[in-house]
Coordinates of all heavy atoms in Angstrom, one line a residue:
M1 N 18.5 16.2 16.8 CA 17.2 16.4 17.4 C 16.7 15.1 17.9 O 16.8 14.1 17.2 CB 16.3 17.0 16.3 CG 14.9 17.2 16.8 SD 13.8 18.0 15.5 CE 14.4 19.6 15.5
R2 N 16.1 15.1 19.0 CA 15.4 13.9 19.6 C 14.0 13.8 19.0 O 13.4 14.8 18.7 CB 15.4 13.9 21.1 CG 16.8 14.0 21.7 CD 16.7 14.1 23.2 NE 15.7 15.2 23.6 CZ 15.1 15.2 24.8 NH1 15.3 14.3 25.7 NH2 14.3 16.2 25.0
L3 N 13.5 12.6 19.0 CA 12.2 12.3 18.5 C 11.1 13.1 19.3 O 10.2 13.7 18.6 CB 11.8 10.8 18.5 CG 10.5 10.4 18.1 CD1 10.2 10.8 16.6 CD2 10.3 8.9 18.3
I4 N 11.2 13.2 20.6 CA 10.2 13.9 21.4 C 10.3 15.4 21.0 O 9.2 16.1 21.0 CB 10.4 13.7 22.9 CG1 9.3 14.3 23.7 CG2 11.8 14.3 23.4 CD1 8.0 13.6 23.5
D5 N 11.4 16.0 20.8 CA 11.5 17.4 20.4 C 10.8 17.7 19.1 O 10.1 18.7 18.9 CB 13.0 17.9 20.4 CG 13.7 17.7 21.7 OD1 13.0 17.9 22.8 OD2 14.9 17.4 21.7
F6 N 11.1 16.8 18.1 CA 10.5 16.9 16.8 C 8.9 16.8 16.9 O 8.2 17.6 16.4 CB 11.0 15.8 15.9 CG 10.4 15.9 14.5 CD1 10.9 16.8 13.6 CD2 9.4 15.0 14.1 CE1 10.3 16.9 12.3 CE2 8.9 15.1 12.9 CZ 9.3 16.0 11.9
K7 N 8.4 15.8 17.7 CA 7.0 15.6 17.8 C 6.3 16.8 18.5 O 5.3 17.2 18.1 CB 6.7 14.3 18.5 CG 6.9 13.1 17.7 CD 6.4 11.9 18.4 CE 6.4 10.7 17.5 NZ 5.8 9.5 18.2
L8 N 7.0 17.3 19.5 CA 6.4 18.5 20.2 C 6.4 19.7 19.4 O 5.4 20.4 19.4 CB 7.2 18.7 21.5 CG 6.9 17.7 22.7 CD1 7.9 18.0 23.8 CD2 5.5 17.8 23.2
S9 N 7.4 19.9 18.6 CA 7.5 21.1 17.8 C 6.6 21.1 16.6 O 6.3 22.1 16.0 CB 8.9 21.5 17.4 OG 9.4 20.5 16.5
T10 N 6.2 19.9 16.1 CA 5.3 19.7 15.0 C 3.9 19.4 15.3 O 3.1 19.2 14.4 CB 5.9 18.7 14.0 OG1 6.0 17.4 14.7 CG2 7.3 19.1 13.5
A11 N 3.6 19.3 16.6 CA 2.2 18.9 17.0 C 1.1 19.7 16.4 O 0.0 19.2 16.1 CB 2.2 18.8 18.5
D12 N 1.3 21.0 16.3 CA 0.3 21.9 15.8 C 0.3 22.1 14.3 O -0.5 22.9 13.8 CB 0.4 23.3 16.5 CG 0.1 23.2 18.0 OD1 -0.7 22.3 18.4 OD2 0.6 24.1 18.7
L13 N 1.1 21.4 13.6 CA 1.2 21.5 12.1 C 0.2 20.6 11.5 O -0.3 19.7 12.1 CB 2.6 21.2 11.6 CG 3.7 22.1 12.1 CD1 5.1 21.5 11.5 CD2 3.5 23.5 11.7
V14 N -0.1 20.9 10.2 CA -1.0 20.1 9.4 C -0.3 18.7 9.3 O 0.8 18.6 8.9 CB -1.3 20.7 8.0 CG1 -2.0 19.7 7.2 CG2 -2.0 22.0 8.1
Q15 N -1.0 17.7 9.7 CA -0.4 16.3 9.8 C -0.2 15.7 8.4 O 0.4 14.6 8.3 CB -1.2 15.4 10.7 CG -1.2 15.9 12.2 CD 0.2 15.9 12.8 OE1 0.8 14.8 12.9 NE2 0.7 17.0 13.1
Q16 N -0.8 16.2 7.4 CA -0.7 15.7 6.1 C 0.5 16.3 5.3 O 0.7 16.0 4.1 CB -2.0 15.9 5.3 CG -3.2 15.1 5.9 CD -2.9 13.6 6.2 OE1 -2.3 12.9 5.3 NE2 -3.2 13.2 7.4
L17 N 1.3 17.1 5.9 CA 2.5 17.6 5.3 C 3.5 16.5 4.9 O 3.8 15.7 5.7 CB 3.2 18.6 6.2 CG 2.6 19.9 6.5 CD1 3.3 20.7 7.6 CD2 2.5 20.8 5.2
P18 N 3.9 16.5 3.6 CA 4.9 15.5 3.2 C 6.3 15.9 3.7 O 6.6 17.1 3.9 CB 4.8 15.6 1.7 CG 4.3 16.9 1.4 CD 3.5 17.3 2.5
L19 N 7.1 14.9 4.0 CA 8.5 15.1 4.6 C 9.5 15.0 3.5 O 9.5 14.0 2.7 CB 8.7 14.1 5.7 CG 7.7 14.0 6.8 CD1 8.1 12.9 7.7 CD2 7.6 15.3 7.5
Y20 N 10.4 16.0 3.5 CA 11.5 16.0 2.5 C 12.8 16.3 3.2 O 12.8 17.1 4.2 CB 11.3 17.0 1.4 CG 10.3 16.7 0.4 CD1 9.0 17.0 0.7 CD2 10.6 16.0 -0.8 CE1 8.0 16.6 -0.3 CE2 9.6 15.7 -1.7 CZ 8.3 16.0 -1.4 OH 7.4 15.7 -2.4
W21 N 13.9 15.7 2.8 CA 15.3 16.1 3.3 C 15.8 17.1 2.3 O 15.8 16.9 1.1 CB 16.1 14.8 3.3 CG 17.6 15.0 3.5 CD1 18.6 14.7 2.6 CD2 18.3 15.6 4.6 NE1 19.8 15.0 3.1 CE2 19.7 15.5 4.3 CE3 17.9 16.1 5.8 CZ2 20.6 16.0 5.2 CZ3 18.8 16.6 6.7 CH2 20.2 16.5 6.4
E22 N 16.3 18.2 2.9 CA 16.8 19.3 2.0 C 18.3 19.4 2.3 O 18.8 19.6 3.4 CB 16.2 20.6 2.4 CG 16.7 21.8 1.6 CD 16.0 23.1 2.0 OE1 15.6 23.3 3.1 OE2 15.8 23.9 1.1
T23 N 19.1 19.2 1.2 CA 20.5 19.3 1.3 C 21.1 19.9 0.0 O 20.8 19.5 -1.1 CB 21.2 18.0 1.7 OG1 22.6 18.2 1.8 CG2 21.0 16.9 0.6
K24 N 21.9 21.0 0.2 CA 22.6 21.6 -1.0 C 21.5 22.0 -2.0 O 21.8 21.8 -3.2 CB 23.6 20.7 -1.6 CG 24.8 20.4 -0.6 CD 25.8 19.5 -1.2 CE 26.8 19.1 -0.1 NZ 27.8 18.1 -0.5
G25 N 20.4 22.5 -1.6 CA 19.4 22.9 -2.5 C 18.6 21.8 -3.2 O 17.7 22.1 -4.0
Q26 N 18.8 20.6 -2.9 CA 18.1 19.4 -3.5 C 17.1 18.9 -2.4 O 17.4 18.8 -1.2 CB 19.1 18.3 -3.9 CG 20.2 18.7 -4.9 CD 19.6 18.9 -6.3 OE1 18.4 18.9 -6.5 NE2 20.5 19.0 -7.2
L27 N 16.0 18.4 -2.9 CA 15.0 17.8 -2.1 C 14.9 16.3 -2.4 O 14.8 16.0 -3.5 CB 13.6 18.5 -2.3 CG 13.5 20.0 -2.0 CD1 12.1 20.4 -2.2 CD2 13.9 20.2 -0.5
S28 N 14.9 15.5 -1.3 CA 14.7 14.1 -1.5 C 13.6 13.7 -0.6 O 13.6 14.0 0.6 CB 16.0 13.3 -1.1 OG 17.0 13.7 -1.9
P29 N 12.6 13.0 -1.1 CA 11.5 12.6 -0.2 C 11.9 11.5 0.9 O 12.7 10.7 0.6 CB 10.4 11.9 -1.1 CG 11.2 11.6 -2.4 CD 12.4 12.5 -2.4
V30 N 11.4 11.7 2.1 CA 11.6 10.7 3.1 C 10.5 9.6 2.9 O 9.3 9.9 3.0 CB 11.4 11.3 4.5 CG1 11.5 10.3 5.6 CG2 12.5 12.4 4.7
T31 N 11.0 8.4 2.6 CA 10.1 7.4 2.2 C 9.9 6.2 3.2 O 9.0 5.4 3.1 CB 10.5 6.8 0.8 OG1 11.8 6.3 0.9 CG2 10.4 7.8 -0.3
D32 N 10.9 6.2 4.2 CA 10.8 5.0 5.1 C 11.6 5.4 6.4 O 12.3 6.4 6.4 CB 11.5 3.8 4.5 CG 11.1 2.5 5.1 OD1 10.2 2.5 6.0 OD2 11.7 1.5 4.8
L33 N 11.4 4.6 7.4 CA 12.1 4.8 8.7 C 12.8 3.5 9.0 O 12.3 2.4 8.7 CB 11.1 5.0 9.8 CG 10.2 6.3 9.7 CD1 9.1 6.3 10.8 CD2 11.0 7.5 9.7
R34 N 13.9 3.6 9.8 CA 14.6 2.4 10.2 C 15.2 2.7 11.6 O 15.8 3.7 11.8 CB 15.7 2.1 9.2 CG 16.3 0.8 9.3 CD 17.2 0.4 8.1 NE 18.2 1.4 7.8 CZ 18.4 1.9 6.6 NH1 17.8 1.4 5.6 NH2 19.3 2.8 6.4
L35 N 15.0 1.8 12.5 CA 15.6 1.9 13.8 C 16.9 1.1 13.8 O 16.9 -0.1 13.6 CB 14.6 1.4 14.9 CG 14.9 1.7 16.3 CD1 14.9 3.2 16.5 CD2 13.8 1.1 17.2
S36 N 18.0 1.7 14.1 CA 19.3 1.1 14.1 C 20.2 1.7 15.2 O 20.3 2.9 15.3 CB 20.0 1.3 12.7 OG 21.2 0.7 12.7
N37 N 20.7 0.8 16.0 CA 21.6 1.3 17.1 C 21.0 2.4 18.0 O 21.7 3.4 18.3 CB 23.0 1.7 16.5 CG 23.7 0.7 15.8 OD1 23.7 -0.5 16.2 ND2 24.4 1.0 14.8
Q38 N 19.7 2.2 18.3 CA 19.0 3.1 19.1 C 18.9 4.5 18.5 O 18.9 5.5 19.2 CB 19.5 3.1 20.6 CG 19.4 1.7 21.2 CD 19.9 1.7 22.6 OE1 20.5 2.6 23.1 NE2 19.7 0.6 23.3
Q39 N 18.9 4.6 17.2 CA 18.8 5.8 16.4 C 17.7 5.6 15.4 O 17.5 4.5 14.9 CB 20.0 6.2 15.7 CG 21.2 6.4 16.6 CD 22.5 6.7 15.8 OE1 22.7 6.1 14.7 NE2 23.4 7.5 16.4
L40 N 16.9 6.6 15.2 CA 15.8 6.5 14.2 C 16.3 7.2 12.9 O 16.6 8.4 12.9 CB 14.6 7.2 14.6 CG 13.3 7.1 13.7 CD1 12.9 5.7 13.6 CD2 12.2 7.9 14.3
L41 N 16.5 6.3 11.9 CA 17.0 6.8 10.6 C 15.9 7.1 9.6 O 15.0 6.2 9.4 CB 18.0 5.7 10.0 CG 19.2 5.4 10.9 CD1 19.9 4.2 10.2 CD2 20.1 6.6 11.1
L42 N 15.9 8.2 9.1 CA 14.9 8.6 8.1 C 15.5 8.3 6.7 O 16.6 8.8 6.3 CB 14.6 10.1 8.2 CG 14.1 10.6 9.5 CD1 13.9 12.1 9.5 CD2 12.8 9.9 10.0
V43 N 14.9 7.4 6.0 CA 15.4 6.9 4.7 C 14.8 7.8 3.6 O 13.6 8.0 3.5 CB 15.0 5.4 4.5 CG1 15.5 4.9 3.2 CG2 15.6 4.6 5.6
T44 N 15.7 8.3 2.7 CA 15.3 9.1 1.6 C 15.6 8.4 0.3 O 16.5 7.5 0.2 CB 16.1 10.5 1.6 OG1 17.5 10.2 1.4 CG2 15.8 11.2 2.9
T45 N 14.9 8.8 -0.8 CA 15.2 8.2 -2.1 C 15.2 9.4 -3.1 O 14.8 10.5 -2.8 CB 14.1 7.2 -2.5 OG1 12.8 7.9 -2.4 CG2 14.1 6.0 -1.6
A46 N 15.8 9.1 -4.3 CA 15.8 10.2 -5.3 C 14.4 10.5 -5.8 O 14.1 11.6 -6.1 CB 16.7 9.7 -6.5
Q47 N 13.5 9.5 -5.8 CA 12.2 9.7 -6.2 C 11.3 8.8 -5.3 O 11.8 8.0 -4.6 CB 12.0 9.2 -7.7 CG 12.7 10.1 -8.7 CD 12.5 9.6 -10.1 OE1 11.8 8.6 -10.3 NE2 13.1 10.3 -11.0
G48 N 10.0 9.0 -5.4 CA 9.1 8.2 -4.6 C 8.1 9.1 -3.9 O 8.2 10.3 -3.9
T49 N 7.2 8.5 -3.2 CA 6.1 9.2 -2.5 C 6.6 9.5 -1.1 O 6.9 8.5 -0.4 CB 4.8 8.4 -2.5 OG1 4.4 8.1 -3.8 CG2 3.7 9.2 -1.8
P50 N 6.7 10.7 -0.7 CA 7.1 11.0 0.7 C 6.1 10.6 1.7 O 4.9 10.7 1.5 CB 7.3 12.5 0.7 CG 6.4 13.0 -0.4 CD 6.3 11.9 -1.4
M51 N 6.6 10.2 2.9 CA 5.7 9.9 4.0 C 5.2 11.2 4.5 O 5.9 12.3 4.4 CB 6.3 9.0 5.0 CG 7.3 9.6 5.9 SD 7.9 8.6 7.2 CE 7.7 7.0 6.7
T52 N 4.1 11.2 5.2 CA 3.5 12.4 5.8 C 3.9 12.5 7.3 O 4.3 11.5 7.9 CB 2.0 12.5 5.7 OG1 1.5 11.4 6.4 CG2 1.5 12.4 4.2
L53 N 3.7 13.6 7.9 CA 4.0 13.8 9.3 C 3.1 12.9 10.1 O 3.6 12.3 11.1 CB 3.7 15.3 9.7 CG 4.0 15.7 11.1 CD1 5.5 15.4 11.4 CD2 3.7 17.2 11.2
D54 N 1.9 12.7 9.7 CA 1.0 11.8 10.4 C 1.5 10.3 10.3 O 1.5 9.6 11.3 CB -0.4 11.8 9.7 CG -1.4 11.0 10.5 OD1 -1.5 11.1 11.7 OD2 -2.1 10.2 9.8
Q55 N 2.0 9.9 9.2 CA 2.6 8.6 9.0 C 3.8 8.4 9.9 O 4.0 7.3 10.5 CB 2.9 8.3 7.6 CG 1.7 8.1 6.7 CD 2.1 8.1 5.2 OE1 3.0 8.8 4.8 NE2 1.3 7.3 4.4
L56 N 4.7 9.4 10.0 CA 5.8 9.3 10.8 C 5.4 9.2 12.3 O 5.9 8.3 13.0 CB 6.7 10.5 10.7 CG 8.0 10.5 11.5 CD1 9.2 11.0 10.7 CD2 7.8 11.3 12.8
N57 N 4.4 10.0 12.7 CA 4.0 9.9 14.1 C 3.4 8.5 14.4 O 3.6 7.9 15.5 CB 3.0 11.0 14.4 CG 3.6 12.3 14.5 OD1 4.8 12.4 14.9 ND2 2.9 13.4 14.1
A58 N 2.6 8.0 13.5 CA 2.0 6.7 13.7 C 3.0 5.6 13.8 O 2.9 4.7 14.6 CB 1.0 6.4 12.6
R59 N 4.0 5.6 13.0 CA 5.0 4.6 13.0 C 6.0 4.7 14.1 O 6.8 3.7 14.4 CB 5.8 4.6 11.6 CG 4.9 4.2 10.5 CD 5.6 4.1 9.2 NE 6.7 3.1 9.2 CZ 7.5 3.0 8.2 NH1 7.4 3.7 7.1 NH2 8.5 2.1 8.3
T60 N 6.0 5.8 14.8 CA 7.0 6.0 15.9 C 6.3 6.0 17.3 O 7.0 6.4 18.3 CB 7.8 7.2 15.7 OG1 7.0 8.4 15.6 CG2 8.7 7.1 14.5
R61 N 5.1 5.6 17.4 CA 4.4 5.7 18.7 C 5.1 4.8 19.7 O 5.0 5.2 20.9 CB 2.9 5.2 18.5 CG 2.0 6.3 18.0 CD 0.6 6.0 18.2 NE -0.2 7.1 17.7 CZ -0.7 7.1 16.5 NH1 -0.6 6.1 15.7 NH2 -1.4 8.2 16.1
Q62 N 5.7 3.7 19.4 CA 6.3 2.8 20.3 C 7.8 3.1 20.5 O 8.5 2.4 21.2 CB 6.1 1.4 19.9 CG 4.6 1.0 19.8 CD 3.9 1.1 21.1 OE1 4.4 0.8 22.1 NE2 2.7 1.6 21.0
V63 N 8.3 4.1 19.8 CA 9.7 4.4 19.9 C 10.0 5.5 21.0 O 9.2 6.4 21.2 CB 10.3 5.0 18.6 CG1 11.7 5.4 18.6 CG2 10.0 4.0 17.4
S64 N 11.0 5.3 21.8 CA 11.3 6.2 22.9 C 11.5 7.6 22.4 O 12.2 7.8 21.4 CB 12.6 5.7 23.6 OG 13.1 6.7 24.5
G65 N 11.0 8.6 23.1 CA 11.2 10.0 22.8 C 12.6 10.5 22.8 O 12.9 11.4 22.1
A66 N 13.5 9.8 23.6 CA 14.9 10.2 23.6 C 15.7 9.7 22.4 O 16.8 10.1 22.3 CB 15.5 9.6 24.9
T67 N 15.1 9.0 21.5 CA 15.8 8.4 20.4 C 16.2 9.6 19.4 O 15.3 10.4 19.0 CB 14.8 7.5 19.6 OG1 14.4 6.4 20.5 CG2 15.6 6.9 18.4
P68 N 17.4 9.7 19.0 CA 17.9 10.7 18.1 C 17.4 10.5 16.7 O 17.3 9.3 16.3 CB 19.4 10.7 18.2 CG 19.7 9.4 18.8 CD 18.5 8.9 19.5
L69 N 17.1 11.5 16.0 CA 16.7 11.5 14.6 C 17.9 11.8 13.7 O 18.6 12.7 13.9 CB 15.6 12.5 14.3 CG 14.2 12.2 14.8 CD1 13.3 13.4 14.5 CD2 13.6 11.0 14.2
L70 N 18.1 10.9 12.7 CA 19.2 11.1 11.7 C 18.7 10.7 10.3 O 17.7 10.0 10.2 CB 20.3 10.2 12.1 CG 21.1 10.5 13.4 CD1 20.6 9.5 14.5 CD2 22.5 10.4 13.2
I71 N 19.4 11.3 9.4 CA 19.1 10.9 8.0 C 20.0 9.7 7.6 O 21.2 9.8 7.9 CB 19.4 12.1 7.0 CG1 18.5 13.3 7.4 CG2 19.2 11.7 5.6 CD1 17.0 13.0 7.2
A72 N 19.4 8.7 7.0 CA 20.2 7.5 6.7 C 21.1 7.9 5.5 O 20.7 8.2 4.4 CB 19.2 6.4 6.2
A73 N 22.4 7.9 5.8 CA 23.4 8.2 4.9 C 24.7 7.5 5.4 O 24.7 6.9 6.4 CB 23.7 9.7 4.7
T74 N 25.8 7.6 4.7 CA 27.0 7.0 5.2 C 28.0 8.2 5.3 O 28.5 8.7 4.4 CB 27.6 6.0 4.1 OG1 26.6 5.1 3.9 CG2 28.8 5.3 4.7
P75 N 28.3 8.6 6.6 CA 27.7 8.2 7.8 C 26.4 8.9 8.0 O 26.1 9.9 7.3 CB 28.7 8.7 8.9 CG 29.3 9.9 8.2 CD 29.4 9.6 6.7
P76 N 25.5 8.4 8.9 CA 24.2 9.1 9.2 C 24.4 10.6 9.5 O 25.4 10.9 10.2 CB 23.7 8.3 10.4 CG 24.3 7.0 10.3 CD 25.7 7.3 9.8
V77 N 23.5 11.4 9.1 CA 23.5 12.8 9.3 C 22.5 13.2 10.3 O 21.3 12.9 10.2 CB 23.2 13.6 8.0 CG1 23.2 15.1 8.2 CG2 24.2 13.1 6.9
P78 N 22.9 13.9 11.4 CA 21.9 14.3 12.5 C 20.9 15.3 11.9 O 21.3 16.1 11.1 CB 22.8 14.9 13.5 CG 24.2 14.5 13.3 CD 24.3 14.2 11.8
L79 N 19.7 15.2 12.3 CA 18.7 16.1 12.0 C 18.7 17.3 13.0 O 18.7 17.1 14.2 CB 17.3 15.5 12.0 CG 16.1 16.3 11.7 CD1 16.2 16.8 10.2 CD2 14.8 15.6 11.9
F80 N 18.9 18.5 12.4 CA 19.0 19.7 13.3 C 17.7 20.5 13.4 O 17.5 21.2 14.3 CB 20.2 20.6 12.9 CG 21.5 20.0 13.1 CD1 22.3 19.5 12.1 CD2 22.0 19.9 14.4 CE1 23.5 18.9 12.4 CE2 23.2 19.3 14.7 CZ 24.0 18.8 13.7
G81 N 16.9 20.4 12.4 CA 15.7 21.2 12.4 C 14.9 21.0 11.1 O 15.1 20.1 10.3
Y82 N 13.9 21.9 10.9 CA 13.1 21.8 9.7 C 12.5 23.2 9.4 O 12.6 24.1 10.3 CB 11.9 20.8 9.9 CG 11.0 21.2 11.1 CD1 9.9 22.0 10.9 CD2 11.2 20.7 12.4 CE1 9.1 22.4 11.9 CE2 10.4 21.1 13.4 CZ 9.3 21.9 13.2 OH 8.5 22.3 14.2
R83 N 11.9 23.3 8.3 CA 11.2 24.5 7.9 C 10.0 24.2 7.0 O 10.0 23.1 6.4 CB 12.1 25.6 7.3 CG 12.6 25.2 5.9 CD 13.6 26.3 5.4 NE 14.1 25.9 4.1 CZ 13.6 26.4 3.0 NH1 12.6 27.2 3.0 NH2 14.1 26.0 1.8
L84 N 9.0 25.0 6.9 CA 7.9 24.8 6.1 C 8.1 25.6 4.8 O 8.5 26.7 4.8 CB 6.6 25.3 6.7 CG 6.1 24.6 8.0 CD1 5.0 25.3 8.6 CD2 5.7 23.2 7.6
S85 N 7.8 25.0 3.6 CA 7.9 25.6 2.3 C 7.0 24.9 1.3 O 7.1 23.7 1.2 CB 9.4 25.5 1.8 OG 9.5 26.1 0.6
D86 N 6.1 25.7 0.7 CA 5.2 25.2 -0.3 C 4.5 23.9 0.1 O 4.4 22.9 -0.6 CB 6.0 24.9 -1.6 CG 6.6 26.1 -2.2 OD1 6.0 27.2 -2.1 OD2 7.7 26.0 -2.8
Q87 N 3.9 24.0 1.3 CA 3.1 22.9 1.9 C 3.9 21.6 2.0 O 3.4 20.5 1.8 CB 1.8 22.6 1.0 CG 0.9 23.8 1.0 CD 0.4 24.2 2.4 OE1 0.0 23.3 3.2 NE2 0.4 25.4 2.8
R88 N 5.2 21.8 2.3 CA 6.1 20.6 2.6 C 6.8 20.9 3.9 O 7.1 22.1 4.2 CB 7.1 20.4 1.4 CG 6.4 20.0 0.1 CD 7.4 19.8 -0.9 NE 7.9 21.1 -1.4 CZ 8.5 21.3 -2.5 NH1 8.8 20.3 -3.3 NH2 8.9 22.5 -2.9
L89 N 7.2 19.9 4.6 CA 8.1 20.0 5.7 C 9.5 19.6 5.3 O 9.7 18.4 4.9 CB 7.6 19.1 6.9 CG 8.2 19.3 8.2 CD1 7.8 20.7 8.7 CD2 7.7 18.2 9.2
L90 N 10.4 20.6 5.2 CA 11.8 20.3 4.8 C 12.7 20.1 6.0 O 12.9 21.1 6.8 CB 12.2 21.5 3.9 CG 11.3 21.9 2.8 CD1 11.9 23.1 2.0 CD2 11.1 20.7 1.8
L91 N 13.2 19.0 6.1 CA 14.1 18.6 7.2 C 15.6 19.0 6.8 O 16.0 18.8 5.7 CB 14.0 17.1 7.4 CG 12.6 16.6 7.7 CD1 12.7 15.0 7.7 CD2 12.0 17.1 8.9
G92 N 16.3 19.4 7.8 CA 17.7 19.8 7.5 C 18.6 19.7 8.7 O 18.2 19.3 9.7

């Protein structure tokens, strides 16, 4: 998913929604962003305070909309979509 697609599809959502990466039934909070090789990597941790949708939007204002979104892992995992659950935005 490209950054512009994510921003457009989440524009009408509550901006205070916390961001989580969902994989294999486990939730990990997205706590940081990193720009690497013209890709935006969403950094997750086992614990920590998740960033909100508003924080992600503020931190990516100067990033090109064509930039792909990936989860920081080895190797990085492309972000394909998200869903809302219990007042959280679950990325997958």
Side-chain angles (χ1 to χ4, degrees):
M1 174 180 288
R2 297 177 311 158
L3 179 60
I4 189 69
D5 298 326
F6 181 78
K7 285 186 170 187
L8 288 172
S9 68
T10 59
D12 292 333
L13 297 178
V14 174
Q15 294 298 297
Q16 295 310 312
L17 287 171
L19 305 176
Y20 287 86
W21 167 243
E22 180 181 34
T23 181
K24 299 178 184 173
Q26 301 284 14
L27 298 180
S28 300
V30 174
T31 57
D32 201 7
L33 302 173
R34 192 170 51 226
L35 196 58
S36 176
N37 296 326
Q38 298 179 351
Q39 299 175 327
L40 186 61
L41 301 174
L42 305 176
V43 179
T44 63
T45 57
Q47 297 180 359
T49 303
M51 72 173 26
T52 64
L53 185 56
D54 186 48
Q55 290 169 327
L56 182 138
N57 287 330
R59 291 183 61 186
T60 59
R61 280 198 177 97
Q62 301 299 319
V63 178
S64 168
T67 304
L69 289 174
L70 295 100
I71 299 297
T74 306
V77 178
L79 179 65
F80 289 107
Y82 62 86
R83 67 185 181 95
L84 293 171
S85 177
D86 299 324
Q87 297 301 311
R88 295 181 285 198
L89 193 63
L90 306 181
L91 307 172

